[in-house]
Amino acid sequence: MTVPQPPEPIPGARLLFSLDPSVSHLNHGSFGAVPIAVQRAQQRLRDEMEANPLRFFTQGLVDRIAHARRHLATFLGADPEGTTLVGNATTGAAVVLQSLALRPGDEIVTTDHGYGAVALSVARECGRTGAVHRTLPVPLTATDEEVVEIVRTGLRPGRTRLLIVDQLTSPTARLFPTAAIVAVAREQGVPVLVDAAHAPGMLPATVASVGADFWVGNLHKWAYAPRGTAVLVVAPQWREKIQPLVVSWEQDSGFPVRVEWQATLDYTGWLAAPVGLFTLRSLGVDRVRAHNAALAAYGQRVVGDALGVAPERLPEPGGPAVAMRLVPLPPGVATTLDAARELRTRIADRLSAEVSIAGWNGRGYLRLCGQVYNTPDEYDRLAVRLPTLLAQG
Ligand SMILES: Cc1ncc(COP(=O)(O)O)c(C=O)c1O
């Protein structure tokens, strides 16, 4: 079986990171990896903070955060006035959910490709308010047109207070046609939250082109920012309704500052985040995207081959820039959350490879990412050793 050629490596890219060289880090998507230059920039900011904490927090910090926010929003093609910094995508989703003032009879609609922690947040908000959570099943093989139709017929105007769709799904590494989904929801008057946790740095689509009411994205995954750096972008008609999870001193400053200012937190990650974009730009944004997507596709094919999965049965991501790919595991393997965690740990311990394993709709999947620090032989090694490990049960 012919496997596609892996991409040319980006010379020296691995040296930009402080990753343990004895491990194959094939799961950039879960927690990212922070380049050394970004770590250093954050450390310099921490040094400044510790040299005089009073001065750091009370003289100009709100403006420095606003400056970083404008930088990040511009990169994402988002309106800086409609963008607020938050700690992570999960927090951004929770901010939106609790700002909706849900009531009994209201419903929140998601798909069955949604992120687990966001689903738990929906469940809690529904439990608190008497609203209900309805999940739309979307087959893994659905075409974009079918996905849009499932959503169009799955909304109940007047009752559906929010639709949450993922731009790139976590358990299934599937790109959803979010702009088209937003358009059909808008026809029915249903607001949409796009969970774009993986989009910043990976996907070329701008936030404005998606056109959602709410859009959350993590900079700490594919945009090389320090962890704890995410944005929530809000359409003009919603901005005044958005409330922070915790009220603090900037409450009367309105959106976006009242969401951002959360008292004595460590804001150095946000201030250093533009250095992540600088690193990405120095490597070449398009070059990094093309490299990562091609390497993930290569990894999917070699590991799929090793597990006997025919190329036509390997799930397609739905777009060229996607740097995460799925390989179906043999039936019965890693179908539950516990089993998936156990297998991921076993692969990490025995094969020195970090991967993502998720059970989705009764089937276990291995998810592989491609990043500039990865090389084809890391996927080759996993492919050689994984079948034996799975056979050992
Ligand atoms: C689709 C999606 N939403 C939300 C999240 C949560 O991100 P965080 O843990 O940074 O809140 C993830 C993380 O991988 C994700 O894939």
Side-chain angles (χ1 to χ4, degrees), residues 37-56:
V38 181
Q39 296 178 37
R40 296 263 157 82
Q42 184 176 18
Q43 189 54 48
R44 281 195 297 276
L45 287 154
R46 285 191 166 136
D47 291 344
E48 181 193 336
M49 178 165 68
E50 295 314 330
N52 189 340
L54 256 292
R55 186 182 179 86
F56 186 84

PDB file of all heavy atoms in Angstrom, residues 37-56:
ATOM      1  N   ALA A  37      11.139  30.703  23.229  1.00  0.00           N
ATOM      2  CA  ALA A  37      11.134  32.178  23.187  1.00  0.00           C
ATOM      3  C   ALA A  37       9.917  32.733  23.931  1.00  0.00           C
ATOM      4  O   ALA A  37       9.997  33.784  24.580  1.00  0.00           O
ATOM      5  CB  ALA A  37      11.123  32.653  21.735  1.00  0.00           C
ATOM      6  N   VAL A  38       8.812  32.022  23.837  1.00  0.00           N
ATOM      7  CA  VAL A  38       7.588  32.476  24.506  1.00  0.00           C
ATOM      8  C   VAL A  38       7.709  32.241  26.016  1.00  0.00           C
ATOM      9  O   VAL A  38       7.316  33.091  26.832  1.00  0.00           O
ATOM     10  CB  VAL A  38       6.359  31.745  23.912  1.00  0.00           C
ATOM     11  CG1 VAL A  38       5.073  32.225  24.568  1.00  0.00           C
ATOM     12  CG2 VAL A  38       6.297  31.946  22.403  1.00  0.00           C
ATOM     13  N   GLN A  39       8.281  31.100  26.377  1.00  0.00           N
ATOM     14  CA  GLN A  39       8.511  30.834  27.813  1.00  0.00           C
ATOM     15  C   GLN A  39       9.388  31.931  28.413  1.00  0.00           C
ATOM     16  O   GLN A  39       9.150  32.410  29.516  1.00  0.00           O
ATOM     17  CB  GLN A  39       9.204  29.489  27.998  1.00  0.00           C
ATOM     18  CG  GLN A  39       8.412  28.273  27.552  1.00  0.00           C
ATOM     19  CD  GLN A  39       9.229  26.994  27.731  1.00  0.00           C
ATOM     20  OE1 GLN A  39       9.976  26.841  28.699  1.00  0.00           O
ATOM     21  NE2 GLN A  39       9.099  26.061  26.796  1.00  0.00           N
ATOM     22  N   ARG A  40      10.438  32.305  27.652  1.00  0.00           N
ATOM     23  CA  ARG A  40      11.369  33.333  28.154  1.00  0.00           C
ATOM     24  C   ARG A  40      10.668  34.680  28.288  1.00  0.00           C
ATOM     25  O   ARG A  40      10.865  35.404  29.272  1.00  0.00           O
ATOM     26  CB  ARG A  40      12.553  33.490  27.194  1.00  0.00           C
ATOM     27  CG  ARG A  40      13.413  32.271  27.083  1.00  0.00           C
ATOM     28  CD  ARG A  40      14.653  32.375  28.000  1.00  0.00           C
ATOM     29  NE  ARG A  40      15.165  31.057  28.311  1.00  0.00           N
ATOM     30  CZ  ARG A  40      15.971  30.337  27.537  1.00  0.00           C
ATOM     31  NH1 ARG A  40      16.380  30.826  26.392  1.00  0.00           N
ATOM     32  NH2 ARG A  40      16.377  29.145  27.906  1.00  0.00           N
ATOM     33  N   ALA A  41       9.846  35.014  27.280  1.00  0.00           N
ATOM     34  CA  ALA A  41       9.128  36.300  27.324  1.00  0.00           C
ATOM     35  C   ALA A  41       8.226  36.343  28.557  1.00  0.00           C
ATOM     36  O   ALA A  41       8.157  37.357  29.265  1.00  0.00           O
ATOM     37  CB  ALA A  41       8.306  36.491  26.049  1.00  0.00           C
ATOM     38  N   GLN A  42       7.549  35.226  28.826  1.00  0.00           N
ATOM     39  CA  GLN A  42       6.678  35.197  30.002  1.00  0.00           C
ATOM     40  C   GLN A  42       7.500  35.291  31.283  1.00  0.00           C
ATOM     41  O   GLN A  42       7.114  35.971  32.236  1.00  0.00           O
ATOM     42  CB  GLN A  42       5.812  33.932  30.011  1.00  0.00           C
ATOM     43  CG  GLN A  42       4.823  33.947  31.188  1.00  0.00           C
ATOM     44  CD  GLN A  42       3.872  32.767  31.210  1.00  0.00           C
ATOM     45  OE1 GLN A  42       4.125  31.755  30.559  1.00  0.00           O
ATOM     46  NE2 GLN A  42       2.795  32.891  31.956  1.00  0.00           N
ATOM     47  N   GLN A  43       8.655  34.625  31.275  1.00  0.00           N
ATOM     48  CA  GLN A  43       9.499  34.686  32.487  1.00  0.00           C
ATOM     49  C   GLN A  43       9.992  36.110  32.737  1.00  0.00           C
ATOM     50  O   GLN A  43      10.042  36.564  33.888  1.00  0.00           O
ATOM     51  CB  GLN A  43      10.681  33.711  32.364  1.00  0.00           C
ATOM     52  CG  GLN A  43      11.479  33.548  33.653  1.00  0.00           C
ATOM     53  CD  GLN A  43      10.603  33.152  34.848  1.00  0.00           C
ATOM     54  OE1 GLN A  43       9.781  32.245  34.758  1.00  0.00           O
ATOM     55  NE2 GLN A  43      10.723  33.867  35.964  1.00  0.00           N
ATOM     56  N   ARG A  44      10.337  36.830  31.659  1.00  0.00           N
ATOM     57  CA  ARG A  44      10.772  38.229  31.839  1.00  0.00           C
ATOM     58  C   ARG A  44       9.649  39.061  32.451  1.00  0.00           C
ATOM     59  O   ARG A  44       9.879  39.907  33.314  1.00  0.00           O
ATOM     60  CB  ARG A  44      11.210  38.832  30.498  1.00  0.00           C
ATOM     61  CG  ARG A  44      12.611  38.403  30.072  1.00  0.00           C
ATOM     62  CD  ARG A  44      13.173  39.275  28.961  1.00  0.00           C
ATOM     63  NE  ARG A  44      12.396  39.177  27.739  1.00  0.00           N
ATOM     64  CZ  ARG A  44      12.548  38.219  26.813  1.00  0.00           C
ATOM     65  NH1 ARG A  44      13.475  37.286  26.982  1.00  0.00           N
ATOM     66  NH2 ARG A  44      11.824  38.197  25.734  1.00  0.00           N
ATOM     67  N   LEU A  45       8.424  38.798  32.005  1.00  0.00           N
ATOM     68  CA  LEU A  45       7.271  39.524  32.568  1.00  0.00           C
ATOM     69  C   LEU A  45       7.068  39.150  34.044  1.00  0.00           C
ATOM     70  O   LEU A  45       6.741  39.996  34.877  1.00  0.00           O
ATOM     71  CB  LEU A  45       6.007  39.218  31.759  1.00  0.00           C
ATOM     72  CG  LEU A  45       5.978  39.887  30.381  1.00  0.00           C
ATOM     73  CD1 LEU A  45       5.099  39.114  29.402  1.00  0.00           C
ATOM     74  CD2 LEU A  45       5.488  41.331  30.526  1.00  0.00           C
ATOM     75  N   ARG A  46       7.292  37.875  34.343  1.00  0.00           N
ATOM     76  CA  ARG A  46       7.157  37.451  35.750  1.00  0.00           C
ATOM     77  C   ARG A  46       8.235  38.099  36.613  1.00  0.00           C
ATOM     78  O   ARG A  46       7.986  38.481  37.759  1.00  0.00           O
ATOM     79  CB  ARG A  46       7.226  35.928  35.858  1.00  0.00           C
ATOM     80  CG  ARG A  46       5.954  35.265  35.388  1.00  0.00           C
ATOM     81  CD  ARG A  46       5.922  33.802  35.752  1.00  0.00           C
ATOM     82  NE  ARG A  46       4.592  33.268  35.598  1.00  0.00           N
ATOM     83  CZ  ARG A  46       4.305  32.097  35.023  1.00  0.00           C
ATOM     84  NH1 ARG A  46       5.270  31.324  34.571  1.00  0.00           N
ATOM     85  NH2 ARG A  46       3.062  31.683  34.929  1.00  0.00           N
ATOM     86  N   ASP A  47       9.435  38.209  36.040  1.00  0.00           N
ATOM     87  CA  ASP A  47      10.520  38.862  36.783  1.00  0.00           C
ATOM     88  C   ASP A  47      10.130  40.312  37.089  1.00  0.00           C
ATOM     89  O   ASP A  47      10.336  40.806  38.200  1.00  0.00           O
ATOM     90  CB  ASP A  47      11.819  38.847  35.977  1.00  0.00           C
ATOM     91  CG  ASP A  47      12.389  37.438  35.832  1.00  0.00           C
ATOM     92  OD1 ASP A  47      11.960  36.541  36.588  1.00  0.00           O
ATOM     93  OD2 ASP A  47      13.236  37.233  34.935  1.00  0.00           O
ATOM     94  N   GLU A  48       9.554  40.964  36.081  1.00  0.00           N
ATOM     95  CA  GLU A  48       9.114  42.350  36.275  1.00  0.00           C
ATOM     96  C   GLU A  48       8.027  42.411  37.366  1.00  0.00           C
ATOM     97  O   GLU A  48       8.073  43.275  38.250  1.00  0.00           O
ATOM     98  CB  GLU A  48       8.554  42.879  34.944  1.00  0.00           C
ATOM     99  CG  GLU A  48       8.078  44.309  35.017  1.00  0.00           C
ATOM    100  CD  GLU A  48       7.244  44.706  33.792  1.00  0.00           C
ATOM    101  OE1 GLU A  48       7.382  44.104  32.711  1.00  0.00           O
ATOM    102  OE2 GLU A  48       6.430  45.640  33.938  1.00  0.00           O
ATOM    103  N   MET A  49       7.104  41.458  37.316  1.00  0.00           N
ATOM    104  CA  MET A  49       6.013  41.431  38.299  1.00  0.00           C
ATOM    105  C   MET A  49       6.564  41.227  39.711  1.00  0.00           C
ATOM    106  O   MET A  49       6.143  41.890  40.656  1.00  0.00           O
ATOM    107  CB  MET A  49       5.043  40.293  37.925  1.00  0.00           C
ATOM    108  CG  MET A  49       3.876  40.093  38.866  1.00  0.00           C
ATOM    109  SD  MET A  49       2.604  39.056  38.116  1.00  0.00           S
ATOM    110  CE  MET A  49       3.415  37.459  38.011  1.00  0.00           C
ATOM    111  N   GLU A  50       7.531  40.315  39.824  1.00  0.00           N
ATOM    112  CA  GLU A  50       8.056  40.017  41.167  1.00  0.00           C
ATOM    113  C   GLU A  50       9.002  41.103  41.680  1.00  0.00           C
ATOM    114  O   GLU A  50       9.218  41.218  42.885  1.00  0.00           O
ATOM    115  CB  GLU A  50       8.741  38.648  41.182  1.00  0.00           C
ATOM    116  CG  GLU A  50       7.811  37.484  40.921  1.00  0.00           C
ATOM    117  CD  GLU A  50       6.509  37.528  41.715  1.00  0.00           C
ATOM    118  OE1 GLU A  50       6.497  38.074  42.832  1.00  0.00           O
ATOM    119  OE2 GLU A  50       5.485  37.053  41.206  1.00  0.00           O
ATOM    120  N   ALA A  51       9.541  41.898  40.760  1.00  0.00           N
ATOM    121  CA  ALA A  51      10.421  42.979  41.214  1.00  0.00           C
ATOM    122  C   ALA A  51       9.617  44.073  41.919  1.00  0.00           C
ATOM    123  O   ALA A  51      10.115  44.724  42.846  1.00  0.00           O
ATOM    124  CB  ALA A  51      11.180  43.570  40.025  1.00  0.00           C
ATOM    125  N   ASN A  52       8.396  44.272  41.466  1.00  0.00           N
ATOM    126  CA  ASN A  52       7.542  45.266  42.120  1.00  0.00           C
ATOM    127  C   ASN A  52       6.070  44.953  41.824  1.00  0.00           C
ATOM    128  O   ASN A  52       5.476  45.515  40.896  1.00  0.00           O
ATOM    129  CB  ASN A  52       7.889  46.678  41.643  1.00  0.00           C
ATOM    130  CG  ASN A  52       7.159  47.739  42.470  1.00  0.00           C
ATOM    131  OD1 ASN A  52       6.149  47.450  43.120  1.00  0.00           O
ATOM    132  ND2 ASN A  52       7.661  48.964  42.449  1.00  0.00           N
ATOM    133  N   PRO A  53       5.490  44.045  42.597  1.00  0.00           N
ATOM    134  CA  PRO A  53       4.116  43.618  42.314  1.00  0.00           C
ATOM    135  C   PRO A  53       3.124  44.780  42.308  1.00  0.00           C
ATOM    136  O   PRO A  53       2.239  44.837  41.455  1.00  0.00           O
ATOM    137  CB  PRO A  53       3.802  42.637  43.449  1.00  0.00           C
ATOM    138  CG  PRO A  53       5.132  42.133  43.890  1.00  0.00           C
ATOM    139  CD  PRO A  53       6.087  43.267  43.703  1.00  0.00           C
ATOM    140  N   LEU A  54       3.270  45.723  43.231  1.00  0.00           N
ATOM    141  CA  LEU A  54       2.330  46.849  43.289  1.00  0.00           C
ATOM    142  C   LEU A  54       2.354  47.643  41.994  1.00  0.00           C
ATOM    143  O   LEU A  54       1.328  47.966  41.409  1.00  0.00           O
ATOM    144  CB  LEU A  54       2.679  47.747  44.483  1.00  0.00           C
ATOM    145  CG  LEU A  54       1.767  47.614  45.700  1.00  0.00           C
ATOM    146  CD1 LEU A  54       0.365  48.148  45.379  1.00  0.00           C
ATOM    147  CD2 LEU A  54       1.649  46.186  46.204  1.00  0.00           C
ATOM    148  N   ARG A  55       3.558  47.943  41.554  1.00  0.00           N
ATOM    149  CA  ARG A  55       3.693  48.718  40.322  1.00  0.00           C
ATOM    150  C   ARG A  55       3.127  47.935  39.128  1.00  0.00           C
ATOM    151  O   ARG A  55       2.392  48.468  38.301  1.00  0.00           O
ATOM    152  CB  ARG A  55       5.177  49.037  40.099  1.00  0.00           C
ATOM    153  CG  ARG A  55       5.414  49.963  38.934  1.00  0.00           C
ATOM    154  CD  ARG A  55       6.895  50.222  38.718  1.00  0.00           C
ATOM    155  NE  ARG A  55       7.049  51.100  37.580  1.00  0.00           N
ATOM    156  CZ  ARG A  55       6.994  52.418  37.642  1.00  0.00           C
ATOM    157  NH1 ARG A  55       6.845  53.013  38.813  1.00  0.00           N
ATOM    158  NH2 ARG A  55       7.097  53.140  36.550  1.00  0.00           N
ATOM    159  N   PHE A  56       3.452  46.634  39.071  1.00  0.00           N
ATOM    160  CA  PHE A  56       3.012  45.809  37.938  1.00  0.00           C
ATOM    161  C   PHE A  56       1.488  45.797  37.826  1.00  0.00           C
ATOM    162  O   PHE A  56       0.928  45.957  36.740  1.00  0.00           O
ATOM    163  CB  PHE A  56       3.543  44.373  38.101  1.00  0.00           C
ATOM    164  CG  PHE A  56       3.281  43.484  36.921  1.00  0.00           C
ATOM    165  CD1 PHE A  56       4.143  43.482  35.827  1.00  0.00           C
ATOM    166  CD2 PHE A  56       2.165  42.654  36.881  1.00  0.00           C
ATOM    167  CE1 PHE A  56       3.891  42.677  34.728  1.00  0.00           C
ATOM    168  CE2 PHE A  56       1.911  41.849  35.780  1.00  0.00           C
ATOM    169  CZ  PHE A  56       2.785  41.858  34.706  1.00  0.00           C
TER     170      PHE A  56
END
